[in-house]
Amino acid sequence: MKNLLLLLSVFYISAFQGIAQSKQPNILFLIADDWSYPHAGVYGDPVVRTPTFDRLAAEGALFTNAYTASPSCSPSRAAILLGRYPHQNEDGGNLWSEFPAQYPSYVSILEKAGYFNGSTRKGWGPGDFQVSGLDHNPAGQPYEDFKSFLTERSNDQPFTFWFGSTDPHREYATNSGIQTGMALDEVQVPGFFPDVDCVRNDILDYYFEVERFDRECGQLIKMLEELGELDNTIIVMTSDNGMPFPRSKANLYDYGTRMPLVIRWPEKVNPGTVIDDFVNFVDFAPSFVEAAGLSAPTMSGQSLWPLLAGEKQDREQVYLERERHANVRKGDLSYPMRAVRDHEYLYIWNPMPERNPAGDPSVHQSVGQYGDVDNSITKYLIMSMEGKPNAGSPDFFKLAFDKRPEVELYDVISDPYQLNNLAEDKAFATVKTRMREKLQSWMKETGDLRASEPRSLYWDEVRYTPDYQFKDYDFKQRIEEYRIKPPFGKYAKEGIPCLDINP
């Protein structure tokens, strides 16, 4: 009898373990709006406080070379959902586009397989998904918040939920960062900005919103813990594109494309894992579909689970691109770019170098001059420096707002801010050829229209969807705020060098 009971116990334990192991995981996707690498505590930033992100890194995998497919909201988010490069998503490669619903997203695939799906705040977009026949945002059914979503979901149903914060997108409340105790003197200013206190203060205001995103993500994770669902949930925490500053967002330099990324899933990810291989956001969709035990349609990305299991994959480089960002050129023109980045070099191809990557200076269209750069005190400070470079410093205006050559090549090890273009340096001719051939090969293999028609007008001519005007940015008021309440006063030192800006 004892042997029979023992056998039955083993049988039931094995059966239970088999059910548990076959249970489909939940997916919680936490995405910031305009957050750059390396602005998290675990990456070594001395100022910004990101305990949630740091915790997920300790309990899962931290990625040091994760890249958005495009440094612009709509194409980046479409690439996440569809697992396809932006140029493969037709007009979905633009900001303010129509969602290419002819391709299945990981959300729609999981929904058909029985997953309960939802999203809150910023999903895919900005753009028009209804014209594509969808009755809700492709990121998931809309919910007021994660709590209401969990309340409606049945307990035994796997779910996928998209938490789309609008932090740290602009605008910022002036001095919000410094008033929380963050110190100007500790800010690490990127080399393409003037290192002055009002720029440091602008970065602190950005950090304030990064911290708010981190805090809200922690609240969602706490809900999972209280439900006992934490360890059966794949948690991804990342951003869609780089920080809303000059030469960052909407650019293929690292501060536009290199993203913070952690993934926690105890079933597949060992705590404290660090991944230095290159990861592109097109990898998320096939990873989620595979984790659910489903067969994915043809996608451009690679599943991340073999990489996290220690298997070797072709991840020695990453490919990047952008088309039309804001509508800031006469004739609705795009500014196309393609790039390849490896551990040593970044190669950028600008097929239409006669256009300005920051937008036409005279085209306001309610977004301000050089409208592909988000309005800020940093932007207007640099604009005021036109024709007045300081000896011994980079020409910040040219870096942010000038036209660029057709080819750019940077040594990312010795030049982490990508300031010194080596494309015409004969010593790097072999490197330039090798990187160009890699990029061209990828473009042909993935069906990029610009491989065969470099100057195609396709992305110039597709619909730009907004039917309203953007709110004007009153930069005179912003500058006056800096004059009246600098970090300035009791919060920091006197004599802020930005106060001589003449709007």
Side-chain angles (χ1 to χ4, degrees):
M1 176 65 73
K2 288 183 179 180
N3 289 339
L4 178 60
L5 289 174
L6 179 61
L7 288 171
L8 288 172
S9 297
V10 170
F11 171 78
Y12 283 119
I13 290 171
S14 299
F16 176 79
Q17 288 176 338
I19 293 170
Q21 290 171 356
S22 64
K23 184 179 179 182
Q24 291 173 304
N26 308 314
I27 298 165
L28 177 60
F29 194 76
L30 309 168
I31 183 168
D33 193 359
D34 300 358
W35 178 29
S36 288
Y37 173 98
H39 299 145
V42 72
Y43 288 129
D45 189 291
V47 180
V48 67
R49 297 157 294 198
T50 54
T52 303
F53 188 85
D54 299 352
R55 172 196 171 178
L56 294 175
E59 296 177 359
L62 176 71
F63 294 77
T64 63
N65 280 299
Y67 285 77
T68 181
S70 180
S72 177
C73 293
S74 311
S76 169
R77 291 162 186 257
I80 290 168
L81 289 162
L82 301 172
R84 299 168 58 85
Y85 288 109
H87 65 260
Q88 297 174 318
N89 292 331
E90 302 171 21
D91 54 334
N94 281 349
L95 187 73
W96 287 105
S97 55
E98 297 178 0
F99 186 77
Q102 64 270 33
Y103 306 111
S105 70
Y106 79 81
V107 173
S108 65
I109 293 168
L110 296 179
E111 183 178 19
K112 289 179 181 177
Y115 269 69
F116 188 63
N117 76 80
S119 67
T120 192
R121 303 190 198 173
K122 186 172 180 177
W124 171 81
D128 185 350
F129 59 81
Q130 292 175 320
V131 72
S132 304
L134 301 179
D135 59 4
H136 64 76
N137 192 286
Q141 292 276 358
Y143 283 85
E144 181 178 355
D145 52 34
F146 190 44
K147 183 178 180 180
S148 59
F149 168 80
L150 291 174
T151 300
E152 188 171 322
R153 164 226 179 200
S154 62
N155 291 334
D156 59 348
Q157 188 176 14
F159 71 78
T160 176
F161 189 82
W162 174 295
F163 173 66
S165 176
T166 54
D167 289 334
H169 197 288
R170 291 189 186 272
E171 296 177 3
Y172 302 148
T174 305
N175 295 335
S176 55
I178 202 165
Q179 292 182 31
T180 67
M182 290 185 274
L184 282 179
D185 291 344
E186 296 178 3
V187 174
Q188 295 178 344
V189 179
F192 41 88
F193 300 155
D195 189 355
V196 295
D197 281 358
C198 69
V199 172
R200 288 172 173 262
N201 196 56
D202 202 10
I203 293 172
L204 290 186
D205 292 344
Y206 155 77
Y207 282 167
F208 173 84
E209 296 205 357
V210 171
E211 291 187 357
R212 185 166 59 191
F213 169 66
D214 186 89
R215 185 165 57 251
E216 289 193 299
C217 289
Q219 294 167 357
L220 271 64
I221 291 168
K222 184 179 180 181
M223 293 181 200
L224 286 178
E225 289 180 296
E226 292 171 348
L227 286 173
E229 293 272 12
L230 179 62
D231 285 348
N232 190 48
T233 302
I234 299 169
I235 301 176
V236 176
M237 186 172 175
T238 190
S239 173
D240 58 352
N241 50 249
M243 61 194 296
F245 285 75
R247 206 174 166 88
S248 303
K249 178 182 177 179
N251 287 275
L252 299 189
Y253 308 117
D254 278 4
Y255 273 72
T257 57
R258 194 175 184 183
M259 297 291 98
L261 174 63
V262 288
I263 298 179
R264 185 191 191 277
W265 186 26
E267 183 173 325
K268 295 285 187 181
V269 183
N270 292 324
T273 298
V274 177
I275 300 294
D276 296 321
D277 299 66
F278 286 98
V279 168
N280 189 297
F281 279 10
V282 296
D283 297 329
F284 289 134
S287 301
F288 296 156
V289 174
E290 181 181 301
L294 304 171
S295 296
T298 300
M299 294 181 175
S300 299
Q302 305 178 73
S303 171
L304 293 167
W305 311 125
L307 174 67
L308 287 161
E311 295 182 21
K312 183 67 176 176
Q313 293 181 323
D314 178 15
R315 293 188 177 274
E316 296 303 311
Q317 64 284 309
V318 67
Y319 298 97
L320 313 165
E321 62 186 282
R322 72 150 267 183
E323 285 293 341
R324 187 171 61 205
H325 185 61
N327 196 16
V328 294
R329 294 172 194 85
K330 294 177 181 178
D332 303 341
L333 303 182
S334 170
Y335 187 82
M337 306 182 202
R338 300 290 186 271
V340 56
R341 165 69 152 86
D342 63 19
H343 291 287
E344 297 178 285
Y345 298 100
L346 170 65
Y347 176 95
I348 300 175
W349 176 50
N350 302 302
M352 296 184 178
E354 73 279 6
R355 299 180 182 180
N356 191 313
D360 294 341
S362 60
V363 177
H364 291 259
Q365 297 199 7
S366 301
V367 296
Q369 291 181 301
Y370 298 111
D372 265 356
V373 181
D374 286 36
N375 295 307
S376 67
I377 192 72
T378 300
K379 170 180 174 176
Y380 285 102
L381 168 65
I382 295 174
M383 284 175 60
S384 75
M385 301 172 75
E386 182 177 7
K388 298 179 288 186
N390 294 323
S393 297
D395 189 328
F396 298 111
F397 179 86
K398 286 187 175 181
L399 289 172
F401 302 114
D402 247 11
K403 294 178 181 179
R404 297 171 187 165
E406 182 176 355
V407 176
E408 300 175 70
L409 178 68
Y410 300 95
D411 180 337
V412 296
I413 297 174
S414 65
D415 183 17
Y417 298 121
Q418 291 101 57
L419 303 177
N420 182 26
N421 184 9
L422 303 171
E424 299 306 315
D425 189 329
K426 293 181 180 179
F428 292 88
T430 301
V431 173
K432 184 171 74 170
T433 298
R434 182 180 77 243
M435 299 294 279
R436 181 181 68 243
E437 290 175 349
K438 278 187 178 182
L439 182 62
Q440 289 176 337
S441 177
W442 168 77
M443 291 172 64
K444 290 178 181 177
E445 290 173 2
T446 58
D448 190 344
L449 180 59
R450 294 208 184 275
S452 57
E453 299 179 39
R455 298 182 61 83
S456 171
L457 301 181
Y458 174 79
W459 286 280
D460 294 341
E461 296 172 349
V462 293
R463 178 180 169 223
Y464 185 72
T465 62
D467 56 2
Y468 62 89
Q469 291 293 309
F470 289 94
K471 177 184 176 183
D472 284 339
Y473 180 86
D474 189 343
F475 63 89
K476 290 185 180 182
Q477 176 185 341
R478 288 286 177 263
I479 292 168
E480 189 62 24
E481 286 183 4
Y482 274 79
R483 289 195 174 105
I484 295 170
K485 50 177 186 179
F488 317 15
K490 66 180 182 179
Y491 295 115
K493 48 192 175 180
E494 303 291 337
I496 307 303
C498 294
L499 302 187
D500 60 351
I501 299 174
N502 182 6

